[in-house]
Amino acid sequence: NTYKSYPKIVGETGGKDFILAHPTADIKVLVAALIRGAFEFQGQKCSACSRAYIPKSIWNEVWKLMETELKTIKIGSTEDLSCFMNAVIDEKSFTKISGYIEKAKALETNKIVFGGNYDKSKGYFIEPTVILTTDPHSLTMEEEIFGPVLTIYVYDDEKLDETLTLIDQTSPYSLTGAVIATDKIAIAKIAEKLRNSAGNFYINDKCTGAVVGQQPFGGARMSGTNDKSGSFLNLLRWVSPRTIKDNMLPVKYKIMRTIPVAEFKTNFSAILKDVEKGEKIAISYGRKKEGVAMLVPFENTEEMPKRKLGLLQEKGASMKIMPDFEMTDEEVLNEKLYD
């Protein structure tokens, strides 16, 4: 009794967002994307990067620069604009995030390479935490944390295809993702392979920061209905389309008789009798010459091929011929439907 129609639903539930580095990645671009994507707003964004895949060939160089940059991050009050990070939103969030960090520390496949500490004595502060894992299916690689925790998996360069499959199948979410690369052919291949892995896909940028009105936002799978807020697509979710047909030449018959062309020839005398009784018919070729002839009552007598239908016309038939799309007008006139 509540609804007159099925309710309209737009949903966004979250994401397990990723950054994939290709061996051709610009190291500085990659490090900036990782740090900003994972730790801006303390990672408290549904689009925040929480898992990354970096090729072995560039990992040492990437980490050297990344560690240096992480050490410059200042954490403190929101009133201090020099602080890159602040406290997480509340104690419930603090407890959840710190719990994931402790679980990560307990796994032999994981190594905390940066951060890992937290303190709620003067606010719910958590350090930017980077976990290096040898297990691409470890807990923090698969579950949404919604905090400043980034887990990195280093993959073999020659296993890029396997890594793409891994990214696509690791999480039930499909919100945001990014690729950092300079090889345009590789970018196209990766974007195609990951087409269902992220509703918002970024190339050489962090996987966050969609601007409403410029970059429609939304994801599919468990991330939501992917209605792209900030675009006309979202508006369509709330309207109820209606189709109107205005027939300018209303049909006045109730049935259609369809018979093979061969049978049409043999039953021609019976058709003549129907015409003599006042039945109005139309003759239509199928799309191929060996198709069927459809006999239906019809009232339009324009453009009748006299040579073809003269006999029926003499009997009072009101007819029109609708030719095969593959036949010329001359072929239509010369086609023999009856003996």
Side-chain angles (χ1 to χ4, degrees), residues 222-275:
M222 291 298 291
S223 289
T225 53
N226 200 15
D227 288 292
K228 290 293 184 283
S229 58
S231 81
F232 76 95
L233 295 172
N234 188 272
L235 176 63
L236 293 180
R237 172 65 73 174
W238 305 105
V239 300
S240 181
R242 182 174 65 151
T243 301
I244 298 176
K245 175 184 177 181
D246 184 0
N247 192 346
M248 307 305 291
L249 186 62
V251 176
K252 298 180 181 180
Y253 57 84
K254 297 180 179 179
I255 62 172
M256 176 183 288
R257 287 187 292 157
T258 303
I259 63 172
V261 171
E263 186 176 343
F264 176 81
K265 297 178 181 179
T266 60
N267 289 341
F268 188 69
S269 59
I271 294 172
L272 282 176
K273 292 181 180 180
D274 290 338
V275 171

Side-chain angles (χ1 to χ4, degrees), residues 143-254:
E143 296 187 12
E144 184 181 36
I145 301 172
F146 218 77
V149 180
L150 171 63
T151 305
I152 297 175
Y153 174 71
V154 178
Y155 70 91
D156 293 330
D157 292 46
E158 63 273 14
K159 293 185 178 180
L160 176 61
D161 288 341
E162 292 91 332
T163 302
L164 294 176
T165 299
L166 181 67
I167 294 172
D168 183 62
Q169 298 179 355
T170 291
S171 170
Y173 295 106
S174 176
L175 189 54
T176 73
V179 57
I180 310 297
T182 57
D183 184 334
K184 296 298 184 181
I185 295 177
I187 290 173
K189 174 183 176 181
I190 291 168
E192 175 63 25
K193 182 70 174 182
L194 300 178
R195 64 182 304 167
N196 295 313
S197 304
N200 279 61
F201 190 71
Y202 300 78
I203 299 172
N204 289 317
D205 200 356
K206 57 188 175 64
C207 58
T208 66
V211 178
V212 175
Q214 297 181 30
Q215 190 176 357
F217 186 82
R221 292 181 177 172
M222 291 298 291
S223 289
T225 53
N226 200 15
D227 288 292
K228 290 293 184 283
S229 58
S231 81
F232 76 95
L233 295 172
N234 188 272
L235 176 63
L236 293 180
R237 172 65 73 174
W238 305 105
V239 300
S240 181
R242 182 174 65 151
T243 301
I244 298 176
K245 175 184 177 181
D246 184 0
N247 192 346
M248 307 305 291
L249 186 62
V251 176
K252 298 180 181 180
Y253 57 84
K254 297 180 179 179

Side-chain angles (χ1 to χ4, degrees), residues 285 307-308 323 327-336:
Y285 293 98
R307 179 178 176 185
K308 290 291 300 174
M327 298 172 66
T328 65
D329 291 340
E330 184 178 357
E331 287 175 325
V332 169
L333 292 173
N334 292 328
E335 180 68 11
K336 191 171 185 180

Side-chain angles (χ1 to χ4, degrees), residues 261 285-292 324-327:
V261 171
Y285 293 98
R287 289 190 66 88
K288 296 181 178 180
K289 294 181 181 180
E290 63 271 16
V292 298
D324 187 307
F325 295 123
E326 299 177 2
M327 298 172 66

